[in-house]
Amino acid sequence: MRVVTKGVTRLVLLIGNFAIKIPNFTCQHNHFLHVCYANWSERLYTKMFKNMPEIEKVAPTYFCAWFGLISIQARVVELDRHLTADEKQYFEHQTTDIKKENFGYLNGRLVCIDYV
């Protein structure tokens, strides 16, 4: 099953267990560049914290193409509620955008999908 979702700055294609994230090319140029950097940063974060406790807080990014044009991340089950105060505090170092759309469940564990 394929599903395309559209965020403020990214288009996300959901296929099987993967979320393919690309910059929304209809945004302003600076937003496009920011998303490319965010895609690349998420992949770098996944690589830097591999096998460390920090990686348990995020959905891993498996691949990122040059310049961050395409990013492939683990697909999660969307969060259908707001985060609790304890959850917000737990994730405060992963993202500055604490909203339910940026979180989901991966293997029964709450993770951040829009981080760094």
Side-chain angles (χ1 to χ4, degrees), residues 19-34:
I20 301 167
K21 301 162 89 174
I22 61 171
N24 185 344
F25 49 86
T26 63
C27 288
Q28 295 177 5
H29 183 74
N30 62 331
H31 289 165
F32 182 88
L33 294 175
H34 176 74

Side-chain angles (χ1 to χ4, degrees), residues 7-93:
V8 174
T9 57
R10 293 191 233 211
L11 301 174
V12 181
L13 180 61
L14 303 172
I15 301 175
N17 293 327
F18 302 103
I20 301 167
K21 301 162 89 174
I22 61 171
N24 185 344
F25 49 86
T26 63
C27 288
Q28 295 177 5
H29 183 74
N30 62 331
H31 289 165
F32 182 88
L33 294 175
H34 176 74
V35 172
C36 288
Y37 180 74
N39 282 347
W40 178 82
S41 294
E42 289 171 352
R43 176 64 181 138
L44 182 61
Y45 186 93
T46 298
K47 289 170 76 173
M48 282 178 44
F49 291 105
K50 186 177 181 180
N51 301 321
M52 296 180 76
E54 288 84 353
I55 203 64
E56 298 295 318
K57 294 182 178 184
V58 301
T61 300
Y62 302 123
F63 172 80
C64 185
W66 285 6
F67 310 113
L69 293 174
I70 297 172
S71 175
I72 300 175
Q73 193 175 79
R75 183 176 180 177
V76 303
V77 176
E78 295 177 29
L79 186 63
D80 60 354
R81 60 173 177 80
H82 294 286
L83 273 71
T84 66
D86 288 342
E87 289 169 338
K88 288 178 183 179
Q89 184 177 6
Y90 180 73
F91 288 105
E92 70 184 352
H93 297 293

